[in-house]
Amino acid sequence: MQLGLVGLANSGKTALFNLLTGADGEVAPYAYTTREPLRGAANVPDPRLDAIADAQDIPRRVPAQVQMVDIAGLAAGAGRGEGIGGAALGQLRETDALVHVLRAFDNAEVPHPLERLDPLGDAEAVELELIAADAAQLERRAERVAKSAKSGDAEALSEAADLEVISATLEDGRPARLAETESARARASEMWLLSAKPMLYVANVDEPGPVPSGIEEHAAASEAQAFSLPVGIELELAGLDPQEASELAAELELGDTRGAPALVEACYRLLDLLTFFTGSAPPEARAWPITRGTTADRAAGKIHTDMERGFIRAEVVPWDQLVEAGSFAKAREVAAVRMEGKDYVVQEGDVMQIRFNV
Ligand SMILES: Nc1nc2c(ncn2[C@@H]2O[C@H](COP(=O)(O)OP(=O)(O)OP(=O)(O)O)[C@@H](O)[C@H]2O)c(=O)[nH]1
Ligand SMILES: [Mg+2]
């Protein structure tokens, strides 16, 4: 599962990518600094992981991660495949959700490609490109499907009907995730349409504060979420040692909380992932991301393929009951640990010990 960053050139996509993943991608005040996609991973903060590790004196904690890809900035025409941004759109198809970066910082040294400061207008401009790219893809698909539909093929007929519903939505200038029928929405996701992906806006603001006016409403109207994050400041703080960072934060009257961890958490939720944990003894406790409905043997396979192949059973305890008991052994004593077979559907917050045989 991975997240793609979209936005106009110079909106601060790579700055945000660096902040969240700890990468060192080139950030510069001219358009199209990023040309080739950059890939990285962000650690998902999870207080449950620390609680599990603390309760058992486990020193090493390995958090779940969100994979991210940063691409070139989009400009008018990108949706028709034009320019660097046009090529970049293709790289976004294979992502599972989008983070849409909006320029809301005022800095005369960083030119805005449209020479304005208008985060809401920028959001609409970028969305039009996503919608145009989707419409072009839809049209190609519809032509192919129409041929099969003519011969009366039932599946083709039902697909053609869905495509029409999606097409009407796009023609209205609305994202495919808002298509009228559930069947059309499912089809749009299957086709990897850009405007069908779950989306989250990040307004890149000068200093901590609310989301710029209009963005929240705009996001809500298209079933998206909105955050504001002073990417420049947080990136600067992240580059300092803790002492210097807290001095600068105090000087800027920023308080102790940073927006980046909360944003990563929101990104993780956007992908609709669950977390299960391993860690019943040192050296490490670990959080694992899985999709909803994953069975115990499949989850074991994430840890090691041998564990899936030789799966016998899973010992499962909800994380809070493990923390309360203090160890897996004590949790067993109070009958908090259950034995589950390979078809068990792993639940949010389960701590698992896999019994296997190779
Ligand atoms: N003042 C201020 N400048 C910022 C902020 N975020 C990014 N910048 C600056 O804006 C410029 C562009 O940032 P990038 O991260 O390279 O933007 P981008 O969206 O990746 O740009 P392209 O790769 O060209 O599409 C750089 O000079 C950054 O230092 C911010 O929050 N405040
Ligand atoms: Mg960039």
Side-chain angles (χ1 to χ4, degrees):
M1 297 290 257
Q2 71 172 348
L3 271 161
L5 267 58
V6 276
L8 293 179
N10 271 350
S11 55
K13 297 178 298 301
T14 304
L16 178 64
F17 176 79
N18 288 349
L19 174 65
L20 301 184
T21 66
D24 196 17
E26 190 184 356
V27 169
Y30 46 81
Y32 305 116
T33 307
T34 309
R35 286 173 180 254
E36 293 305 316
L38 300 171
R39 292 171 201 280
N43 290 334
V44 182
D46 192 334
R48 297 171 302 175
L49 178 64
D50 290 319
I52 291 165
D54 287 344
Q56 306 174 92
D57 286 325
I58 298 177
R60 224 168 89 83
R61 292 114 210 249
V62 184
Q65 291 192 316
V66 176
Q67 308 298 320
M68 295 193 169
V69 51
D70 173 33
I71 60 154
L74 303 184
R80 293 190 300 274
E82 290 167 13
I84 297 165
L89 280 180
Q91 293 146 1
L92 277 188
R93 291 242 174 257
E94 63 209 64
T95 64
D96 302 283
L98 301 179
V99 171
H100 186 158
V101 184
L102 301 173
R103 171 159 179 176
F105 63 87
D106 192 8
N107 181 349
E109 280 158 37
V110 181
H112 186 296
L114 305 171
E115 291 168 12
R116 64 185 189 189
L117 188 58
D118 180 6
L120 183 56
D122 291 354
E124 289 164 349
V126 165
E127 273 141 39
L128 279 182
E129 299 304 329
L130 300 183
I131 287 170
D134 285 349
Q137 192 188 336
L138 200 80
E139 200 175 315
R140 288 193 297 271
R141 178 81 202 155
E143 274 171 25
R144 255 176 289 151
V145 172
K147 282 183 199 142
S148 321
K150 251 189 214 146
S151 63
D153 180 81
E155 170 49 30
L157 283 166
S158 112
E159 181 172 355
D162 284 339
L163 296 182
E164 226 162 273
V165 174
I166 303 170
S167 174
T169 311
L170 299 178
E171 269 166 33
D172 242 10
R174 298 186 314 136
R177 91 179 80 83
L178 299 183
E180 306 303 331
T181 66
E182 200 179 326
S183 147
R185 290 192 295 273
R187 191 82 68 179
S189 313
E190 271 166 36
M191 289 176 68
W192 299 97
L193 292 187
L194 297 168
S195 72
K197 297 182 195 298
M199 190 162 77
L200 183 157
Y201 293 97
V202 178
N204 183 4
V205 290
D206 279 314
E207 48 191 55
V211 176
S213 101
I215 302 292
E216 199 106 47
E217 296 75 4
H218 179 72
S222 66
E223 289 173 11
Q225 301 167 48
F227 280 75
S228 78
L229 189 69
V231 176
I233 291 178
E234 293 216 0
L235 194 56
E236 188 176 341
L237 289 172
L240 299 174
D241 67 50
Q243 175 67 28
E244 286 173 331
S246 77
E247 279 169 22
L248 179 59
E251 209 174 290
L252 300 171
E253 298 177 4
L254 293 181
D256 303 325
T257 41
R258 298 288 159 265
L263 178 63
V264 175
E265 228 184 299
C267 289
Y268 189 66
R269 283 198 302 270
L270 195 67
L271 292 170
D272 200 25
L273 296 169
L274 296 183
T275 309
F276 79 90
F277 300 94
T278 52
S280 47
E284 73 174 36
R286 184 160 177 169
W288 301 86
I290 46 170
T291 48
R292 250 162 242 286
T294 301
T295 52
D297 59 338
R298 290 298 193 95
K302 297 257 168 207
I303 306 168
H304 200 290
T305 46
D306 282 350
M307 287 192 177
E308 180 170 357
R309 238 181 317 132
F311 184 92
I312 301 170
R313 61 175 189 272
E315 288 187 272
V316 182
V317 55
W319 75 275
D320 49 343
Q321 292 183 32
L322 174 64
V323 169
E324 198 181 316
S327 74
F328 231 88
K330 287 187 195 138
R332 266 189 220 106
E333 279 168 27
V334 298
V337 177
R338 307 184 313 267
M339 298 295 171
E340 301 284 3
K342 68 180 177 54
D343 295 330
Y344 169 69
V345 175
V346 178
Q347 301 295 305
E348 176 66 58
D350 280 351
V351 186
M352 302 216 292
Q353 238 181 37
I354 308 295
R355 300 282 162 212
F356 68 108
N357 186 345
V358 280

